[in-house]
Amino acid sequence: MKKATLTKDEKNRLVALRKLDIIDTQPEKQYDEIAELASYICETPIGLISILDNDKQWMKACVGVENCEAENNFTFCQYAIKHEGNLFEVNDARTDERFRNKAFTFGDDPVVFYAGVPLRNKEGLTLGSLCVIDHEARSLTEKQRKSLLYLANQVINLFEIRIKNNTLRESQKLLKEKNTQLKNFAGVVSHDMKMPLANMIVTIDIIKAKYSKHFDESGLNYINNLKQSAFKLSDYISNILTHYESDSITEENALEEFDLNELLEDIVEMLDINEDCEINLPKKNLQIESNRVALEQIFLNLIGNSIKYNDKEKIKIDIGCSFDDFYYHFYVKDNGIGIPENKQNEVFNLFTTITEADRKGNKGNGIGLSTVKKIIHNLGGHIELESKLGDYTKFKFQVERP
Protein backbone atom coordinates (compact mmCIF):
# COMPACT_ATOMS: atom_id res chain seq x y z
CA MET A 1 0.00 0.00 0.00
CA LYS A 2 1.30 3.43 -0.90
CA LYS A 3 2.07 5.61 2.13
CA ALA A 4 -0.06 8.74 2.24
CA THR A 5 0.76 12.17 3.64
CA LEU A 6 -1.24 12.41 6.85
CA THR A 7 -2.19 16.08 7.03
CA LYS A 8 -1.02 19.44 5.75
CA ASP A 9 -0.23 20.58 9.24
CA GLU A 10 1.24 17.43 10.75
CA LYS A 11 3.16 19.29 13.45
CA ASN A 12 0.03 20.89 14.92
CA ARG A 13 -1.85 17.61 14.60
CA LEU A 14 0.77 15.78 16.64
CA VAL A 15 0.79 18.58 19.24
CA ALA A 16 -2.99 18.14 19.57
CA LEU A 17 -2.51 14.39 19.86
CA ARG A 18 -0.01 14.86 22.71
CA LYS A 19 -2.49 17.16 24.42
CA LEU A 20 -5.14 14.45 24.15
CA ASP A 21 -2.70 12.00 25.81
CA ILE A 22 -4.68 8.91 24.87
CA ILE A 23 -2.21 6.57 23.13
CA ASP A 24 -1.42 3.40 25.11
CA THR A 25 -4.09 4.17 27.72
CA GLN A 26 -6.24 1.43 29.22
CA PRO A 27 -9.53 0.42 27.54
CA GLU A 28 -12.53 2.55 28.52
CA LYS A 29 -16.15 1.44 28.41
CA GLN A 30 -17.44 4.55 26.62
CA TYR A 31 -15.11 4.04 23.65
CA ASP A 32 -15.62 0.27 23.53
CA GLU A 33 -19.40 0.70 23.42
CA ILE A 34 -19.21 3.19 20.53
CA ALA A 35 -16.96 0.85 18.50
CA GLU A 36 -19.30 -2.08 19.20
CA LEU A 37 -22.36 -0.03 18.28
CA ALA A 38 -20.71 1.08 15.02
CA SER A 39 -19.98 -2.55 14.15
CA TYR A 40 -23.56 -3.56 15.03
CA ILE A 41 -25.27 -0.77 13.06
CA CYS A 42 -23.08 -1.19 9.99
CA GLU A 43 -23.31 -5.01 10.20
CA THR A 44 -19.54 -5.50 9.99
CA PRO A 45 -17.43 -7.95 11.99
CA ILE A 46 -14.91 -5.22 12.96
CA GLY A 47 -15.33 -1.79 14.55
CA LEU A 48 -12.41 0.42 15.58
CA ILE A 49 -11.59 3.77 17.12
CA SER A 50 -8.18 4.38 15.59
CA ILE A 51 -5.63 6.99 16.67
CA LEU A 52 -2.76 7.84 14.29
CA ASP A 53 0.58 8.90 15.70
CA ASN A 54 3.50 9.88 13.47
CA ASP A 55 4.77 6.30 13.23
CA LYS A 56 1.97 3.99 14.27
CA GLN A 57 -1.76 3.39 14.30
CA TRP A 58 -3.18 2.56 17.75
CA MET A 59 -6.71 1.45 18.50
CA LYS A 60 -8.42 2.99 21.51
CA ALA A 61 -11.27 0.52 21.01
CA CYS A 62 -11.27 -2.76 19.09
CA VAL A 63 -14.26 -4.95 18.26
CA GLY A 64 -13.64 -8.13 16.28
CA VAL A 65 -9.82 -8.00 16.40
CA GLU A 66 -7.16 -8.43 19.05
CA ASN A 67 -4.22 -6.54 17.51
CA CYS A 68 -4.49 -2.91 18.64
CA GLU A 69 -1.45 -1.48 16.87
CA ALA A 70 -0.09 -1.28 13.31
CA GLU A 71 2.50 0.65 11.30
CA ASN A 72 1.20 3.70 9.48
CA ASN A 73 2.31 2.53 6.06
CA PHE A 74 -0.15 -0.34 6.23
CA THR A 75 -3.36 1.36 7.34
CA PHE A 76 -6.52 2.50 5.60
CA CYS A 77 -6.98 5.10 8.36
CA GLN A 78 -4.08 7.18 7.05
CA TYR A 79 -6.25 7.86 4.00
CA ALA A 80 -9.35 8.46 6.11
CA ILE A 81 -7.76 11.20 8.23
CA LYS A 82 -6.63 13.20 5.19
CA HIS A 83 -9.99 12.75 3.50
CA GLU A 84 -11.67 16.16 3.12
CA GLY A 85 -15.18 14.79 3.37
CA ASN A 86 -17.00 13.36 6.38
CA LEU A 87 -16.73 9.69 5.39
CA PHE A 88 -14.02 7.72 3.59
CA GLU A 89 -15.46 4.52 2.12
CA VAL A 90 -13.71 1.74 0.18
CA ASN A 91 -16.28 -0.74 -1.14
CA ASP A 92 -13.83 -3.32 -2.51
CA ALA A 93 -10.10 -2.89 -1.86
CA ARG A 94 -9.37 -5.67 -4.37
CA THR A 95 -10.54 -3.47 -7.23
CA ASP A 96 -9.38 -0.10 -5.83
CA GLU A 97 -6.11 0.98 -7.48
CA ARG A 98 -4.85 2.46 -4.19
CA PHE A 99 -5.00 -0.91 -2.43
CA ARG A 100 -5.29 -3.78 -4.88
CA ASN A 101 -1.56 -4.43 -5.13
CA LYS A 102 -1.15 -4.66 -1.33
CA ALA A 103 -2.67 -7.28 0.90
CA PHE A 104 -3.80 -5.97 4.28
CA THR A 105 -5.33 -8.33 6.79
CA PHE A 106 -6.88 -8.22 10.19
CA GLY A 107 -6.40 -11.65 11.75
CA ASP A 108 -6.46 -14.31 9.06
CA ASP A 109 -8.86 -12.54 6.70
CA PRO A 110 -8.15 -9.73 4.22
CA VAL A 111 -9.61 -6.24 4.57
CA VAL A 112 -11.96 -5.85 1.62
CA PHE A 113 -14.45 -3.21 2.82
CA TYR A 114 -13.53 -0.13 4.86
CA ALA A 115 -15.53 2.91 6.01
CA GLY A 116 -13.99 5.52 8.31
CA VAL A 117 -15.08 8.88 9.69
CA PRO A 118 -12.21 11.33 10.40
CA LEU A 119 -12.17 12.38 14.04
CA ARG A 120 -11.53 16.13 13.82
CA ASN A 121 -11.10 18.33 16.87
CA LYS A 122 -12.54 21.86 17.12
CA GLU A 123 -9.42 23.24 15.39
CA GLY A 124 -10.09 20.95 12.42
CA LEU A 125 -7.10 18.70 13.12
CA THR A 126 -7.76 15.00 12.51
CA LEU A 127 -6.53 12.75 15.31
CA GLY A 128 -7.86 9.42 14.10
CA SER A 129 -10.96 7.74 12.77
CA LEU A 130 -14.00 5.73 13.73
CA CYS A 131 -14.10 2.90 11.22
CA VAL A 132 -15.81 -0.36 10.36
CA ILE A 133 -14.23 -3.20 8.37
CA ASP A 134 -15.53 -6.25 6.55
CA HIS A 135 -13.87 -9.14 4.72
CA GLU A 136 -16.38 -8.94 1.88
CA ALA A 137 -17.23 -6.19 -0.60
CA ARG A 138 -20.23 -4.07 0.36
CA SER A 139 -21.67 -0.58 0.70
CA LEU A 140 -23.22 1.21 3.66
CA THR A 141 -26.80 2.34 3.54
CA GLU A 142 -27.58 6.02 3.98
CA LYS A 143 -28.88 5.33 7.50
CA GLN A 144 -25.67 3.49 8.38
CA ARG A 145 -23.54 6.36 7.09
CA LYS A 146 -25.53 8.88 9.09
CA SER A 147 -25.32 6.70 12.23
CA LEU A 148 -21.55 6.35 11.82
CA LEU A 149 -21.23 10.15 11.63
CA TYR A 150 -23.32 10.56 14.80
CA LEU A 151 -21.17 8.03 16.66
CA ALA A 152 -18.01 9.79 15.48
CA ASN A 153 -19.35 13.03 16.99
CA GLN A 154 -19.68 11.23 20.31
CA VAL A 155 -16.04 10.11 20.11
CA ILE A 156 -15.00 13.71 19.46
CA ASN A 157 -17.06 14.82 22.48
CA LEU A 158 -15.23 12.23 24.59
CA PHE A 159 -11.93 13.62 23.28
CA GLU A 160 -12.94 17.15 24.33
CA ILE A 161 -13.97 15.96 27.78
CA ARG A 162 -10.67 14.10 28.10
CA ILE A 163 -8.67 17.22 27.21
CA LYS A 164 -10.63 19.30 29.73
CA ASN A 165 -10.09 16.65 32.40
CA ASN A 166 -6.37 16.50 31.59
CA THR A 167 -6.15 20.29 31.92
CA LEU A 168 -8.11 20.19 35.17
CA ARG A 169 -5.86 17.47 36.58
CA GLU A 170 -2.78 19.50 35.70
CA SER A 171 -4.32 22.59 37.33
CA GLN A 172 -5.23 20.57 40.42
CA LYS A 173 -1.73 19.14 40.58
CA LEU A 174 -0.23 22.62 40.33
CA LEU A 175 -2.63 24.01 42.95
CA LYS A 176 -1.83 21.10 45.26
CA GLU A 177 1.89 21.74 44.87
CA LYS A 178 1.40 25.48 45.51
CA ASN A 179 -0.81 24.75 48.51
CA THR A 180 1.77 22.36 49.92
CA GLN A 181 4.46 24.99 49.47
CA LEU A 182 2.24 27.57 51.18
CA LYS A 183 1.48 25.20 54.07
CA ASN A 184 5.16 24.40 54.50
CA PHE A 185 6.05 28.10 54.35
CA ALA A 186 3.33 29.02 56.86
CA GLY A 187 4.42 26.21 59.15
CA VAL A 188 8.11 27.09 59.06
CA VAL A 189 7.53 30.83 59.45
CA SER A 190 4.98 30.35 62.21
CA HIS A 191 7.17 27.97 64.17
CA ASP A 192 10.19 30.24 63.72
CA MET A 193 8.23 33.25 64.98
CA LYS A 194 6.76 31.64 68.09
CA MET A 195 10.03 31.41 70.01
CA PRO A 196 11.09 35.07 69.47
CA LEU A 197 7.58 36.12 70.46
CA ALA A 198 7.73 34.03 73.63
CA ASN A 199 11.10 35.62 74.43
CA MET A 200 9.61 39.06 73.80
CA ILE A 201 6.74 38.42 76.24
CA VAL A 202 9.11 37.12 78.91
CA THR A 203 11.41 40.11 78.36
CA ILE A 204 8.48 42.53 78.75
CA ASP A 205 7.57 40.89 82.08
CA ILE A 206 11.18 41.19 83.27
CA ILE A 207 11.31 44.88 82.29
CA LYS A 208 8.05 45.53 84.17
CA ALA A 209 9.27 43.66 87.24
CA LYS A 210 12.70 45.34 87.40
CA TYR A 211 12.15 48.80 86.01
CA SER A 212 8.46 49.67 86.44
CA LYS A 213 9.30 52.30 89.09
CA HIS A 214 11.31 54.17 86.44
CA PHE A 215 8.30 54.48 84.10
CA ASP A 216 5.50 56.98 84.32
CA GLU A 217 1.92 55.98 83.58
CA SER A 218 2.33 56.50 79.83
CA GLY A 219 5.47 54.35 79.79
CA LEU A 220 3.68 51.50 81.58
CA ASN A 221 0.82 51.77 79.12
CA TYR A 222 3.30 51.41 76.25
CA ILE A 223 4.77 48.31 77.89
CA ASN A 224 1.32 46.79 78.45
CA ASN A 225 0.27 47.54 74.87
CA LEU A 226 3.46 45.93 73.61
CA LYS A 227 2.74 42.78 75.62
CA GLN A 228 -0.88 42.70 74.44
CA SER A 229 0.24 43.03 70.82
CA ALA A 230 2.75 40.20 71.31
CA PHE A 231 0.03 37.95 72.73
CA LYS A 232 -2.28 38.85 69.85
CA LEU A 233 0.40 38.02 67.29
CA SER A 234 1.15 34.77 69.09
CA ASP A 235 -2.54 33.84 68.98
CA TYR A 236 -2.66 34.77 65.29
CA ILE A 237 0.32 32.50 64.54
CA SER A 238 -1.19 29.64 66.55
CA ASN A 239 -4.42 29.92 64.57
CA ILE A 240 -2.55 29.90 61.26
CA LEU A 241 -0.70 26.76 62.34
CA THR A 242 -3.96 25.11 63.36
CA HIS A 243 -5.56 26.01 60.03
CA TYR A 244 -2.77 24.60 57.90
CA GLU A 245 -2.35 21.55 60.12
CA SER A 246 -6.08 20.78 60.07
CA ASP A 247 -5.65 18.29 57.20
CA SER A 248 -3.13 16.29 59.22
CA ILE A 249 -5.53 16.30 62.18
CA THR A 250 -8.11 14.39 60.16
CA GLU A 251 -5.62 12.25 58.25
CA GLU A 252 -3.31 11.10 61.03
CA ASN A 253 -5.76 10.57 63.91
CA ALA A 254 -7.70 7.33 63.71
CA LEU A 255 -11.28 6.86 64.82
CA GLU A 256 -11.82 6.11 68.47
CA GLU A 257 -14.77 5.62 70.78
CA PHE A 258 -15.19 8.20 73.54
CA ASP A 259 -17.68 9.83 75.88
CA LEU A 260 -19.01 13.06 74.33
CA ASN A 261 -19.77 14.87 77.60
CA GLU A 262 -16.37 13.93 78.97
CA LEU A 263 -14.79 15.55 75.90
CA LEU A 264 -16.90 18.68 76.38
CA GLU A 265 -16.00 18.89 80.09
CA ASP A 266 -12.31 18.70 79.18
CA ILE A 267 -12.79 21.55 76.68
CA VAL A 268 -14.58 23.74 79.25
CA GLU A 269 -11.71 23.14 81.65
CA MET A 270 -9.16 24.07 78.95
CA LEU A 271 -10.97 27.33 78.25
CA ASP A 272 -10.49 28.42 81.90
CA ILE A 273 -13.65 30.54 81.87
CA ASN A 274 -13.66 33.51 84.27
CA GLU A 275 -16.98 35.05 83.18
CA ASP A 276 -20.41 34.25 84.57
CA CYS A 277 -21.14 31.44 82.17
CA GLU A 278 -23.68 28.62 82.05
CA ILE A 279 -22.85 25.78 79.69
CA ASN A 280 -25.54 23.13 79.21
CA LEU A 281 -24.16 19.85 77.91
CA PRO A 282 -26.33 17.38 75.97
CA LYS A 283 -28.98 15.88 78.26
CA LYS A 284 -28.45 12.45 76.78
CA ASN A 285 -24.79 11.54 76.93
CA LEU A 286 -23.52 9.61 73.93
CA GLN A 287 -20.65 7.31 73.15
CA ILE A 288 -19.17 8.73 69.95
CA GLU A 289 -16.97 6.90 67.47
CA SER A 290 -15.14 9.57 65.54
CA ASN A 291 -11.93 11.59 65.34
CA ARG A 292 -11.63 12.87 68.91
CA VAL A 293 -8.85 15.37 68.22
CA ALA A 294 -10.76 16.91 65.32
CA LEU A 295 -14.00 17.25 67.31
CA GLU A 296 -12.04 18.79 70.16
CA GLN A 297 -10.71 21.49 67.81
CA ILE A 298 -14.23 22.17 66.48
CA PHE A 299 -15.90 22.50 69.88
CA LEU A 300 -12.97 24.43 71.35
CA ASN A 301 -13.39 27.08 68.68
CA LEU A 302 -17.19 27.25 68.68
CA ILE A 303 -17.55 27.35 72.48
CA GLY A 304 -14.68 29.84 72.72
CA ASN A 305 -16.41 32.11 70.20
CA SER A 306 -19.68 31.86 72.11
CA ILE A 307 -17.88 33.25 75.14
CA LYS A 308 -15.77 35.88 73.38
CA TYR A 309 -18.53 37.32 71.23
CA ASN A 310 -21.13 37.72 73.94
CA ASP A 311 -22.36 40.99 75.41
CA LYS A 312 -24.72 39.56 78.03
CA GLU A 313 -24.02 39.77 81.75
CA LYS A 314 -24.64 36.04 82.03
CA ILE A 315 -23.36 33.94 79.15
CA LYS A 316 -25.51 30.96 78.27
CA ILE A 317 -24.39 28.18 75.92
CA ASP A 318 -26.44 25.13 74.94
CA ILE A 319 -24.79 22.11 73.27
CA GLY A 320 -26.78 19.31 71.65
CA CYS A 321 -26.11 16.06 69.86
CA SER A 322 -28.17 13.45 68.03
CA PHE A 323 -27.43 10.85 65.37
CA ASP A 324 -28.94 8.85 62.55
CA ASP A 325 -27.67 5.96 60.46
CA PHE A 326 -25.16 8.14 58.60
CA TYR A 327 -24.22 11.20 60.68
CA TYR A 328 -23.68 12.63 64.13
CA HIS A 329 -25.54 15.95 64.38
CA PHE A 330 -24.29 18.67 66.77
CA TYR A 331 -25.18 22.24 67.63
CA VAL A 332 -23.70 25.01 69.77
CA LYS A 333 -26.11 27.84 70.60
CA ASP A 334 -25.34 30.99 72.61
CA ASN A 335 -27.14 34.15 73.73
CA GLY A 336 -24.43 36.41 72.32
CA ILE A 337 -24.29 39.41 70.03
CA GLY A 338 -25.51 37.55 66.95
CA ILE A 339 -24.40 37.89 63.34
CA PRO A 340 -26.06 40.24 60.82
CA GLU A 341 -28.01 38.35 58.16
CA ASN A 342 -26.07 39.98 55.31
CA LYS A 343 -22.79 38.77 56.85
CA GLN A 344 -23.73 35.18 57.63
CA ASN A 345 -22.42 33.79 54.34
CA GLU A 346 -18.98 35.33 55.01
CA VAL A 347 -18.19 34.02 58.50
CA PHE A 348 -16.44 30.87 57.21
CA ASN A 349 -14.14 32.75 54.82
CA LEU A 350 -10.48 32.77 55.79
CA PHE A 351 -9.28 36.06 57.35
CA THR A 352 -12.82 37.47 57.39
CA THR A 353 -13.96 39.17 60.62
CA ILE A 354 -17.57 40.22 61.18
CA THR A 355 -17.39 42.16 64.45
CA GLU A 356 -15.09 44.99 65.43
CA ALA A 357 -14.07 43.47 68.75
CA ASP A 358 -14.88 40.65 71.17
CA ARG A 359 -16.04 40.82 74.79
CA LYS A 360 -12.63 42.06 75.93
CA GLY A 361 -12.17 44.57 73.11
CA ASN A 362 -9.84 42.39 71.02
CA LYS A 363 -10.34 42.08 67.27
CA GLY A 364 -10.49 38.57 65.83
CA ASN A 365 -8.25 37.25 63.05
CA GLY A 366 -10.85 35.47 60.91
CA ILE A 367 -9.11 32.11 60.96
CA GLY A 368 -11.00 30.01 63.51
CA LEU A 369 -14.31 29.41 61.73
CA SER A 370 -12.56 28.78 58.43
CA THR A 371 -10.53 26.09 60.17
CA VAL A 372 -13.67 24.62 61.73
CA LYS A 373 -15.36 24.39 58.33
CA LYS A 374 -12.27 22.77 56.82
CA ILE A 375 -12.06 20.12 59.55
CA ILE A 376 -15.77 19.33 59.31
CA HIS A 377 -15.48 19.00 55.54
CA ASN A 378 -12.58 16.56 56.01
CA LEU A 379 -14.82 14.55 58.36
CA GLY A 380 -17.40 14.21 55.59
CA GLY A 381 -19.86 16.76 56.96
CA HIS A 382 -20.94 20.39 56.67
CA ILE A 383 -21.71 23.32 58.95
CA GLU A 384 -24.37 26.05 58.86
CA LEU A 385 -25.59 28.75 61.19
CA GLU A 386 -28.71 30.49 62.42
CA SER A 387 -28.45 33.87 64.08
CA LYS A 388 -30.46 36.89 65.15
CA LEU A 389 -28.58 40.11 65.75
CA GLY A 390 -28.43 40.94 69.46
CA ASP A 391 -30.15 37.70 70.43
CA TYR A 392 -28.39 34.42 69.60
CA THR A 393 -26.12 32.44 67.30
CA LYS A 394 -26.51 28.73 66.64
CA PHE A 395 -23.93 26.68 64.72
CA LYS A 396 -25.19 23.32 63.47
CA PHE A 397 -22.82 20.76 62.00
CA GLN A 398 -22.65 17.09 61.20
CA VAL A 399 -19.87 14.55 60.71
CA GLU A 400 -20.03 11.11 59.14
CA ARG A 401 -20.48 8.02 61.27
CA PRO A 402 -18.18 5.08 60.55
Side-chain angles (χ1 to χ4, degrees):
M1 185 185 296
K2 183 180 177 182
K3 185 174 180 180
T5 303
L6 296 181
T7 62
K8 294 179 180 179
D9 196 351
E10 180 67 2
K11 181 178 179 180
N12 288 340
R13 192 190 77 84
L14 292 175
V15 169
L17 195 59
R18 299 295 176 267
K19 189 177 180 181
L20 182 61
D21 191 26
I22 200 170
I23 292 179
D24 295 328
T25 57
Q26 292 296 315
E28 295 179 60
K29 184 179 179 182
Q30 303 98 311
Y31 295 97
D32 292 340
E33 289 177 345
I34 290 175
E36 186 172 354
L37 192 57
S39 172
Y40 176 77
I41 291 173
C42 296
E43 299 177 313
T44 60
I46 297 173
L48 305 171
I49 296 176
S50 173
I51 311 296
L52 267 75
D53 201 350
N54 61 330
D55 59 355
K56 71 176 181 180
Q57 175 188 5
W58 180 81
M59 269 62 83
K60 176 59 182 174
C62 307
V63 173
V65 293
E66 294 183 359
N67 184 20
C68 288
E69 186 174 323
E71 292 183 4
N72 271 355
N73 348 12
F74 299 101
T75 69
F76 284 80
C77 292
Q78 62 172 304
Y79 286 88
I81 73 163
K82 76 164 188 173
H83 185 64
E84 294 183 358
N86 292 326
L87 177 67
F88 177 72
E89 187 172 356
V90 178
N91 304 113
D92 189 344
R94 296 168 301 186
T95 61
D96 192 306
E97 63 180 10
R98 293 168 296 182
F99 312 110
R100 63 185 178 185
N101 295 326
K102 294 288 184 181
F104 184 66
T105 62
F106 252 134
D108 297 327
D109 299 312
V111 175
V112 176
F113 169 78
Y114 174 92
V117 179
L119 298 173
R120 298 187 180 98
N121 65 10
K122 59 185 179 182
E123 287 80 26
L125 299 168
T126 309
L127 307 181
S129 66
L130 170 65
C131 57
V132 290
I133 293 172
D134 204 339
H135 307 300
E136 299 177 356
R138 54 170 302 162
S139 295
L140 295 181
T141 66
E142 191 59 35
K143 287 184 178 180
Q144 288 172 332
R145 293 188 182 98
K146 185 178 290 188
S147 297
L148 202 58
L149 292 174
Y150 290 161
L151 291 174
N153 287 337
Q154 295 309 308
V155 178
I156 293 167
N157 289 337
L158 288 176
F159 284 175
E160 292 298 321
I161 291 171
R162 181 180 182 84
I163 290 171
K164 289 177 181 178
N165 288 340
N166 289 345
T167 303
L168 181 59
R169 276 192 292 269
E170 286 298 316
S171 298
Q172 288 175 331
K173 181 181 177 182
L174 182 60
L175 284 173
K176 189 175 181 179
E177 291 173 353
K178 294 294 184 183
N179 188 48
T180 300
Q181 292 173 4
L182 179 60
K183 287 168 66 175
N184 292 338
F185 174 77
V188 170
V189 171
S190 299
H191 279 295
D192 288 350
M193 289 178 68
K194 285 183 76 69
M195 185 56 70
L197 271 173
N199 291 337
M200 185 186 300
I201 293 169
V202 171
T203 302
I204 291 170
D205 287 336
I206 292 173
I207 291 172
K208 285 182 67 175
K210 283 191 171 186
Y211 304 106
S212 60
K213 61 182 180 181
H214 299 290
F215 292 106
D216 57 15
E217 185 177 349
S218 296
L220 288 173
N221 286 336
Y222 290 141
I223 291 293
N224 289 332
N225 288 338
L226 183 61
K227 183 177 179 179
Q228 186 177 5
S229 297
F231 271 123
K232 186 175 181 179
L233 182 56
S234 180
D235 180 63
Y236 188 78
I237 291 170
S238 296
N239 280 315
I240 289 177
L241 279 171
T242 301
H243 181 80
Y244 284 108
E245 291 172 354
S246 59
D247 289 335
S248 62
I249 290 174
T250 50
E251 290 171 0
E252 297 174 4
N253 292 279
L255 300 178
E256 58 180 300
E257 190 171 323
F258 57 90
D259 184 292
L260 176 61
N261 281 15
E262 184 179 309
L263 170 67
L264 294 172
E265 288 167 359
D266 290 343
I267 291 171
V268 172
E269 187 175 342
M270 279 189 284
L271 288 168
D272 192 23
I273 303 168
N274 296 317
E275 288 84 355
D276 185 5
C277 181
E278 176 187 325
I279 299 180
N280 299 310
L281 303 184
K283 294 179 180 179
K284 185 178 180 181
N285 191 19
L286 295 176
Q287 286 294 118
I288 300 290
E289 186 177 2
S290 186
N291 187 320
R292 192 182 194 281
V293 175
L295 278 178
E296 181 181 280
Q297 286 292 326
I298 294 167
F299 279 113
L300 193 61
N301 189 285
L302 294 179
I303 297 172
N305 282 351
S306 292
I307 296 169
K308 286 194 294 184
Y309 299 101
N310 199 303
D311 57 352
K312 307 301 188 294
E313 185 175 344
K314 182 179 180 66
I315 300 170
K316 184 178 179 181
I317 302 171
D318 296 319
I319 303 171
C321 177
S322 61
F323 65 93
D324 55 32
D325 291 339
F326 305 101
Y327 295 98
Y328 292 113
H329 301 269
F330 304 97
Y331 72 81
V332 177
K333 181 180 180 182
D334 63 59
N335 63 338
I337 62 177
I339 300 171
E341 187 174 352
N342 63 341
K343 299 290 185 180
Q344 291 180 12
N345 291 331
E346 303 175 20
V347 296
F348 298 109
N349 296 338
L350 187 61
F351 302 125
T352 298
T353 56
I354 303 301
T355 59
E356 289 297 323
D358 62 18
R359 188 180 182 89
K360 296 182 178 179
N362 299 316
K363 185 175 176 61
N365 48 47
I367 301 174
L369 286 177
S370 174
T371 304
V372 164
K373 182 179 180 180
K374 189 177 181 185
I375 295 174
I376 291 172
H377 174 77
N378 290 345
L379 294 177
H382 72 272
I383 184 170
E384 57 188 36
L385 72 88
E386 298 174 5
S387 188
K388 182 178 179 182
L389 193 62
D391 192 2
Y392 77 95
T393 296
K394 182 178 183 179
F395 285 96
K396 299 184 294 183
F397 67 96
Q398 62 183 32
V399 299
E400 280 187 341
R401 293 185 65 189

